[in-house]
């Protein structure tokens, strides 16, 4: 098709969309264009150092964020849902940046996988944003931090580092803690939010599996032992160490076996 846009152009369109609801729609549109073959397999666009962000939420340093606590008040419940919604909002950009920054180094299946991740993160954000509105709040009503994107900036030069840190550390951490959060919402009688979080948990097992799959692909091509290389990258790019307890079952399902993270706590 003459003048057919490439996938890199579609990715930049998502990253440059600041409005949260418009970003969700842009992510869905890009994935549909890719699925239908309307995007050329090309990555000519330079990726922005920082995606567009809405005026709200106000972004603070992680150490300056107010503590949410673990009580059962509606305000604390809203604060937790807001924090989770922000994670999913940033995760949309992380998935699309993965495609645009590194997709040219991989087979088309890499873009297939991260397009799926990007659209699922968009769906997760939309579901959590709806729960905020059901509780009389909205995304942007509370402050948030941009620590997740800091991890993207720190690994922008190396796809193995990006895969090691974003899906295989940060998303894998969600596998360790989400089921406890699901149960907390159930005990508070918020079964709808619990159901949303359980859906996110199941999807994130798949997302971590994509990270592990492509990390091991990179290691095979470079003739590097994946477990040793991963531990070295985590020590270099992730400060503070990994924190147990680990959901060994979910991690195993995602291909993130204990050989990766044992001894690195």
């Amino acid at each position: 098709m003459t003048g057919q846009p490439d996938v890199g152009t579609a990715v930049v369109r998502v990253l440059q969309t600041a409005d949260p609801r418009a970003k969700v729609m842009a992510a869905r549109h890009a994935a549909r264009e890719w699925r239908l073959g309307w995007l050329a397999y090309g990555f000519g666009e330079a990726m922005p150092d920082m995606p567009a962000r809405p005026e709200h939420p106000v972004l603070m340093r992680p150490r300056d964020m107010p503590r949410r606590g673990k009580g059962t008040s509606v305000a604390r419940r809203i604060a937790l849902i807001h924090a989770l919604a922000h994670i999913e909002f940033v995760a949309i950009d992380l998935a699309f940046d993965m495609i645009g920054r590194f997709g040219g180094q991989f087979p088309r299946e890499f873009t297939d996988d991260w397009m799926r991740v990007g659209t699922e993160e968009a769906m997760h954000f939309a579901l959590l944003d709806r729960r905020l509105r059901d509780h009389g709040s909205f995304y942007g009503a509370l402050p948030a931090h941009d620590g997740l994107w800091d991890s993207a900036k720190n690994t922008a030069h190396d796809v193995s580092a990006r895969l090691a840190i974003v899906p295989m550390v940060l998303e894998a951490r969600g596998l360790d803690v989400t089921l406890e959060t699901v149960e907390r919402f159930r005990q508070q009688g918020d079964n709808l939010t619990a159901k949303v979080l359980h859906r996110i948990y199941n999807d994130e097992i798949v997302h971590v599996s994509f990270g592990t799959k492509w990390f091991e692909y990179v290691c095979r091509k470079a003739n590097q032992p994946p477990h040793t290389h991963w531990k070295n990258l985590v020590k270099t790019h992730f400060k503070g160490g990994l924190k147990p307890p680990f959901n060994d079952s979910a991690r195993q399902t995602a291909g993130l076996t204990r050989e990766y993270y044992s001894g690195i706590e």
Side-chain angles (χ1 to χ4, degrees), residues 11 14-15 27 30 92-101 115 118-119:
V11 164
V14 176
L15 295 173
I92 301 169
D93 289 325
L94 289 171
F96 281 93
D97 186 80
M98 183 83 81
I99 295 167
R101 193 172 299 276
M115 278 287 183
T119 54

Side-chain angles (χ1 to χ4, degrees), residues 143-202:
H145 71 78
D146 221 22
L148 279 176
W149 193 256
D150 288 342
S151 296
K153 289 190 292 186
N154 293 337
T155 58
H157 63 290
D158 180 359
V159 67
S160 62
R162 175 68 66 85
L163 291 164
I165 301 304
V166 174
M168 298 176 71
V169 170
L170 298 177
E171 282 214 77
R173 181 59 179 162
L175 304 184
D176 301 332
V177 301
T178 299
L179 290 182
E180 179 182 342
T181 307
V182 168
E183 186 57 31
R184 190 188 312 170
F185 276 100
R186 283 178 178 158
Q187 290 176 358
Q188 295 172 14
D190 190 347
N191 291 319
L192 283 176
T193 302
K195 186 176 180 180
V196 168
L197 294 181
H198 204 277
R199 169 65 186 270
I200 292 172
Y201 168 80
N202 288 329

